[in-house]
Short mmCIF file of all heavy atoms in Angstrom, two decimals:
data_model
loop_
_atom_site.label_atom_id
_atom_site.label_comp_id
_atom_site.label_asym_id
_atom_site.label_seq_id
_atom_site.Cartn_x
_atom_site.Cartn_y
_atom_site.Cartn_z
N GLY A 1 -8.32 15.60 -1.31
CA GLY A 1 -6.90 15.92 -1.47
C GLY A 1 -5.97 14.89 -0.88
O GLY A 1 -4.77 14.95 -1.06
N ASP A 2 -6.54 13.90 -0.15
CA ASP A 2 -5.71 12.87 0.48
C ASP A 2 -5.11 11.96 -0.57
O ASP A 2 -5.82 11.42 -1.41
CB ASP A 2 -6.56 12.02 1.43
CG ASP A 2 -6.64 12.60 2.81
OD1 ASP A 2 -5.87 13.53 3.12
OD2 ASP A 2 -7.46 12.11 3.61
N ALA A 3 -3.83 11.74 -0.48
CA ALA A 3 -3.21 10.70 -1.29
C ALA A 3 -3.56 9.36 -0.65
O ALA A 3 -3.45 9.20 0.57
CB ALA A 3 -1.70 10.88 -1.33
N MET A 4 -4.02 8.42 -1.46
CA MET A 4 -4.41 7.10 -0.98
C MET A 4 -3.53 6.04 -1.62
O MET A 4 -2.98 6.24 -2.70
CB MET A 4 -5.87 6.82 -1.31
CG MET A 4 -6.85 7.74 -0.59
SD MET A 4 -6.88 7.47 1.19
CE MET A 4 -7.55 5.81 1.28
N GLY A 5 -3.42 4.92 -0.94
CA GLY A 5 -2.57 3.87 -1.47
C GLY A 5 -3.11 2.49 -1.20
O GLY A 5 -3.93 2.29 -0.30
N TRP A 6 -2.64 1.56 -1.99
CA TRP A 6 -2.86 0.14 -1.74
C TRP A 6 -1.56 -0.43 -1.18
O TRP A 6 -0.47 -0.11 -1.67
CB TRP A 6 -3.25 -0.60 -3.01
CG TRP A 6 -4.70 -0.44 -3.34
CD1 TRP A 6 -5.26 0.47 -4.20
CD2 TRP A 6 -5.79 -1.21 -2.83
NE1 TRP A 6 -6.62 0.32 -4.24
CE2 TRP A 6 -6.97 -0.72 -3.40
CE3 TRP A 6 -5.88 -2.29 -1.94
CZ2 TRP A 6 -8.24 -1.24 -3.12
CZ3 TRP A 6 -7.13 -2.81 -1.66
CH2 TRP A 6 -8.29 -2.30 -2.24
N TYR A 7 -1.72 -1.27 -0.18
CA TYR A 7 -0.61 -1.92 0.48
C TYR A 7 -0.83 -3.43 0.40
O TYR A 7 -1.97 -3.88 0.25
CB TYR A 7 -0.55 -1.52 1.96
CG TYR A 7 -0.41 -0.04 2.22
CD1 TYR A 7 -1.48 0.84 2.00
CD2 TYR A 7 0.78 0.49 2.71
CE1 TYR A 7 -1.35 2.20 2.25
CE2 TYR A 7 0.91 1.85 2.97
CZ TYR A 7 -0.16 2.69 2.74
OH TYR A 7 -0.04 4.04 2.99
N ARG A 8 0.23 -4.18 0.56
CA ARG A 8 0.04 -5.62 0.65
C ARG A 8 1.03 -6.21 1.65
O ARG A 8 2.11 -5.68 1.89
CB ARG A 8 0.17 -6.31 -0.70
CG ARG A 8 1.56 -6.39 -1.29
CD ARG A 8 1.49 -7.01 -2.69
NE ARG A 8 2.81 -7.14 -3.31
CZ ARG A 8 2.99 -7.46 -4.58
NH1 ARG A 8 1.93 -7.70 -5.38
NH2 ARG A 8 4.21 -7.56 -5.07
N GLN A 9 0.58 -7.30 2.24
CA GLN A 9 1.41 -8.02 3.21
C GLN A 9 1.45 -9.49 2.82
O GLN A 9 0.41 -10.18 2.88
CB GLN A 9 0.87 -7.85 4.63
CG GLN A 9 1.75 -8.44 5.70
CD GLN A 9 1.37 -7.98 7.09
OE1 GLN A 9 0.24 -7.53 7.32
NE2 GLN A 9 2.29 -8.09 8.03
N SER A 10 2.62 -9.94 2.43
CA SER A 10 2.81 -11.35 2.08
C SER A 10 3.16 -12.12 3.35
O SER A 10 3.63 -11.53 4.32
CB SER A 10 3.95 -11.47 1.06
OG SER A 10 3.68 -10.69 -0.08
N PRO A 11 2.93 -13.42 3.35
CA PRO A 11 3.22 -14.22 4.55
C PRO A 11 4.65 -14.02 5.03
O PRO A 11 5.61 -14.14 4.25
CB PRO A 11 2.99 -15.65 4.06
CG PRO A 11 1.99 -15.52 2.96
CD PRO A 11 2.34 -14.24 2.27
N GLY A 12 4.79 -13.69 6.31
CA GLY A 12 6.11 -13.54 6.90
C GLY A 12 6.81 -12.25 6.56
O GLY A 12 7.98 -12.05 6.93
N LYS A 13 6.12 -11.34 5.88
CA LYS A 13 6.76 -10.08 5.49
C LYS A 13 5.97 -8.89 6.02
O LYS A 13 4.83 -9.00 6.45
CB LYS A 13 6.86 -10.00 3.97
CG LYS A 13 7.76 -11.07 3.36
CD LYS A 13 7.92 -10.86 1.88
CE LYS A 13 8.86 -11.89 1.28
NZ LYS A 13 9.05 -11.72 -0.19
N GLN A 14 6.61 -7.73 5.97
CA GLN A 14 5.95 -6.50 6.42
C GLN A 14 4.97 -6.00 5.36
O GLN A 14 5.12 -6.28 4.18
CB GLN A 14 6.99 -5.42 6.71
CG GLN A 14 7.82 -5.66 7.96
CD GLN A 14 8.68 -4.46 8.31
OE1 GLN A 14 9.15 -3.72 7.43
NE2 GLN A 14 8.88 -4.23 9.59
N ARG A 15 4.00 -5.23 5.82
CA ARG A 15 3.08 -4.58 4.90
C ARG A 15 3.81 -3.45 4.19
O ARG A 15 4.48 -2.63 4.85
CB ARG A 15 1.89 -4.05 5.69
CG ARG A 15 0.81 -3.39 4.86
CD ARG A 15 -0.51 -3.32 5.62
NE ARG A 15 -0.34 -2.83 6.96
CZ ARG A 15 -1.22 -3.03 7.95
NH1 ARG A 15 -2.33 -3.73 7.70
NH2 ARG A 15 -1.02 -2.53 9.14
N ILE A 16 3.66 -3.37 2.88
CA ILE A 16 4.35 -2.35 2.10
C ILE A 16 3.38 -1.68 1.13
O ILE A 16 2.42 -2.30 0.68
CB ILE A 16 5.53 -2.95 1.29
CG1 ILE A 16 5.04 -4.01 0.31
CG2 ILE A 16 6.60 -3.50 2.22
CD1 ILE A 16 6.07 -4.45 -0.69
N PRO A 17 3.61 -0.42 0.82
CA PRO A 17 2.79 0.26 -0.19
C PRO A 17 3.19 -0.23 -1.58
O PRO A 17 4.38 -0.38 -1.87
CB PRO A 17 3.11 1.73 0.01
CG PRO A 17 4.47 1.74 0.61
CD PRO A 17 4.62 0.49 1.40
N ILE A 18 2.20 -0.45 -2.45
CA ILE A 18 2.53 -0.92 -3.80
C ILE A 18 2.01 0.02 -4.88
O ILE A 18 2.51 0.00 -6.00
CB ILE A 18 1.98 -2.33 -4.07
CG1 ILE A 18 0.45 -2.35 -3.92
CG2 ILE A 18 2.64 -3.34 -3.13
CD1 ILE A 18 -0.18 -3.61 -4.47
N ALA A 19 1.01 0.84 -4.55
CA ALA A 19 0.44 1.76 -5.53
C ALA A 19 -0.15 2.94 -4.79
O ALA A 19 -0.79 2.75 -3.75
CB ALA A 19 -0.63 1.07 -6.37
N THR A 20 0.06 4.13 -5.32
CA THR A 20 -0.47 5.33 -4.68
C THR A 20 -1.13 6.23 -5.71
O THR A 20 -0.77 6.20 -6.89
CB THR A 20 0.63 6.12 -3.96
OG1 THR A 20 1.60 6.55 -4.91
CG2 THR A 20 1.31 5.27 -2.88
N ILE A 21 -2.08 7.04 -5.22
CA ILE A 21 -2.75 8.00 -6.09
C ILE A 21 -2.98 9.27 -5.30
O ILE A 21 -3.49 9.23 -4.18
CB ILE A 21 -4.07 7.42 -6.66
CG1 ILE A 21 -4.70 8.40 -7.65
CG2 ILE A 21 -5.04 7.03 -5.54
CD1 ILE A 21 -5.81 7.76 -8.49
N THR A 22 -2.60 10.40 -5.88
CA THR A 22 -2.79 11.67 -5.20
C THR A 22 -4.22 12.15 -5.39
O THR A 22 -4.99 11.58 -6.17
CB THR A 22 -1.84 12.73 -5.77
OG1 THR A 22 -2.20 13.00 -7.13
CG2 THR A 22 -0.38 12.26 -5.71
N GLY A 23 -4.54 13.24 -4.69
CA GLY A 23 -5.86 13.82 -4.88
C GLY A 23 -6.07 14.28 -6.31
O GLY A 23 -7.20 14.27 -6.81
N GLY A 24 -5.00 14.64 -6.97
CA GLY A 24 -5.09 15.10 -8.35
C GLY A 24 -5.06 13.99 -9.37
O GLY A 24 -5.19 14.24 -10.57
#
């Protein structure tokens, strides 16, 4: 049931979520 996501961190920038998927 956990929603999971992919995050990315570009040089000099903060890590941000870019794609998410729910348990469903």
Side-chain angles (χ1 to χ4, degrees):
D2 273 348
M4 295 293 294
W6 280 95
Y7 301 72
R8 72 184 181 190
Q9 186 167 20
S10 303
K13 296 185 178 180
Q14 288 189 328
R15 182 161 47 200
I16 61 169
I18 60 167
T20 62
I21 185 166
T22 67

